Amino acid sequence: ASFSSAPVFMAALWNAALRRRDDLLRSPPLAPEPLPPFRPGARLFDLYDMSTVAGRWRYNWALLSPLGLRWGLEEVAEANAVLDGYAAGGRLRSDRELWHATAVLATAAPGGELLPLPLRGCGWTACNIPIIAFMVVSALRHPTCIRRIVLGQWLNQTHLAGITWFNRGADGADGAPGRATVLASYVFALATAIPIAVGGGRLSQQVQLLKPFARFAPYPAVASANFLGCACMRSTDVTQGVPVVQPGDDPAAPALGLSRAAGAQAVRDTCVTRLLMPVGNFLIVPAVAWLYTALRRIKQPSIATQVAVTAAVFTFWLPTAASFYPPVGRLAVVQLEPP
């Protein structure tokens, strides 16, 4: 009897494993179990614990990891149908289906329409790796080549501007930056990054003490451009304010009003995050590559090694840098300006 029941037991175990696999594939990455009940107007970050760095990292991994590149037109259409049907009170859906649909749209179609692969948040790392590797290798092997510096900074800032433009309305906010604002920020970022990168490269070769640090020259240029470009793009948040709501309100509830103090804090946190994002690419990656060459006793890493290091660091550092602050800030009532 024991022998005859063994195949049945193994089949049941296999079916349970398949069901578990299907549940994981139909759930947002690293989502808590059991999933919390879905509410009308819920956003992806409502699924995770935004009060901890670990919870924010899980959310940003779900949003920015290359796993989101697998979603296409069919999945986006299905996700829109699921959420539209739920909002209209149609056919009932499980919480897992609703959270999965929310994750698909947040990752691949924040405005409801499928974005091109390189311009999704989840495509940031995969499509920017060649650019970053080119910039890091150029800083090491050709630190004073103006053409390489200009090309690298232009490609990097152009890709960032494209991602910003296509994802500007990801949360459905009315204060999304317009075409003129994004264009002005893009030009301002280029005007900041290129002179700093050229000057840093030349200085690293003219001052003997700075030569070992030539590999890190792109960081101050990219970080400064990111910081100033973000401040320019979000300037209206400081001058006009951002919407504020009561903590724990229904996600679909209307805002209580606009606050310039809250806007100033939001812009500050975002600018600091933009300073942290290039740390992985232009400080950690060159440091790891230098350590690799020292251990292997070689002069320079191969291009393949450089790309591999860049891919690994960038993939995990981007959600880490984005996790230092929550996507929705908090401010005490006494810190708000009077109505």
Side-chain angles (χ1 to χ4, degrees):
S2 61
F3 286 100
S4 61
S5 62
V8 177
F9 172 77
M10 293 301 297
L13 188 62
W14 177 253
N15 289 333
L18 291 178
R19 287 194 298 270
R20 177 58 178 165
R21 183 205 62 180
D22 292 340
D23 285 345
L24 291 175
L25 290 177
R26 299 289 296 180
S27 299
L30 302 180
E33 291 288 349
L35 293 173
F38 187 85
R39 296 185 298 167
R43 296 147 297 186
L44 182 59
F45 59 76
D46 294 321
L47 179 58
Y48 301 88
D49 183 4
M50 293 291 100
S51 64
T52 66
V53 175
R56 295 195 292 271
W57 194 91
R58 287 169 178 258
Y59 159 69
N60 283 299
W61 175 258
L63 192 67
L64 300 172
S65 79
L67 296 175
L69 293 174
R70 68 187 189 274
W71 306 129
L73 285 171
E74 182 179 346
E75 290 81 7
V76 169
E78 180 184 354
N80 278 317
V82 168
L83 293 177
D84 289 345
Y86 173 78
R91 187 161 64 92
L92 295 179
R93 297 282 187 166
S94 67
D95 289 326
R96 190 173 300 278
E97 289 177 298
L98 293 167
W99 282 120
H100 174 71
T102 301
V104 170
L105 294 183
T107 303
E113 296 183 3
L114 183 67
L115 296 182
L117 293 178
L119 300 174
R120 302 181 194 175
C122 59
W124 195 344
T125 56
C127 299
N128 207 33
I129 285 171
I131 300 173
I132 301 303
F134 170 77
M135 295 172 69
V136 173
V137 171
S138 296
L140 179 62
R141 302 185 181 186
H142 310 279
T144 60
C145 180
I146 295 179
R147 286 181 299 177
R148 287 176 173 269
I149 293 174
V150 171
L151 178 61
Q153 294 293 339
W154 174 73
L155 288 172
N156 185 53
Q157 292 299 330
T158 299
H159 187 225
L160 178 58
I163 289 179
T164 301
W165 171 255
F166 279 90
N167 292 274
R168 68 196 185 283
D171 58 358
D174 294 332
R179 186 188 304 271
T181 302
V182 174
L183 181 60
S185 301
Y186 169 63
V187 173
F188 190 37
L190 281 177
T192 302
I194 292 176
I196 294 177
V198 172
R202 289 188 172 183
L203 186 64
S204 68
Q205 299 305 299
Q206 294 172 357
V207 181
Q208 187 67 27
L209 185 64
L210 296 179
K211 281 191 176 183
F213 299 98
R215 66 183 76 239
F216 303 110
Y219 174 74
V222 174
S224 300
N226 286 0
F227 183 91
L228 296 175
C230 179
C232 176
M233 185 177 303
R234 300 286 300 273
S235 59
T236 55
D237 290 350
V238 179
T239 58
Q240 300 178 12
V242 296
V244 293
V245 297
Q246 287 283 359
D249 270 357
D250 183 347
L256 300 177
L258 299 177
S259 168
R260 291 187 297 274
Q265 176 176 302
V267 172
R268 180 204 65 191
D269 294 350
T270 306
C271 287
V272 172
T273 300
R274 289 299 180 93
L275 288 176
L276 294 171
M277 284 182 173
V279 167
N281 292 331
F282 302 113
L283 293 183
I284 297 177
V285 168
V288 172
W290 173 82
L291 181 61
Y292 173 80
T293 58
L295 294 176
R296 294 290 302 273
R297 297 182 180 181
I298 56 179
K299 186 176 180 181
Q300 295 176 344
S302 65
I303 299 297
T305 300
Q306 187 68 62
V307 171
V309 172
T310 301
V313 173
F314 195 13
T315 298
F316 290 97
W317 177 256
L318 183 60
T320 302
S323 301
F324 280 82
Y325 296 101
V328 176
R330 289 178 175 267
L331 202 63
V333 175
V334 295
Q335 295 178 275
L336 299 173
E337 62 269 37

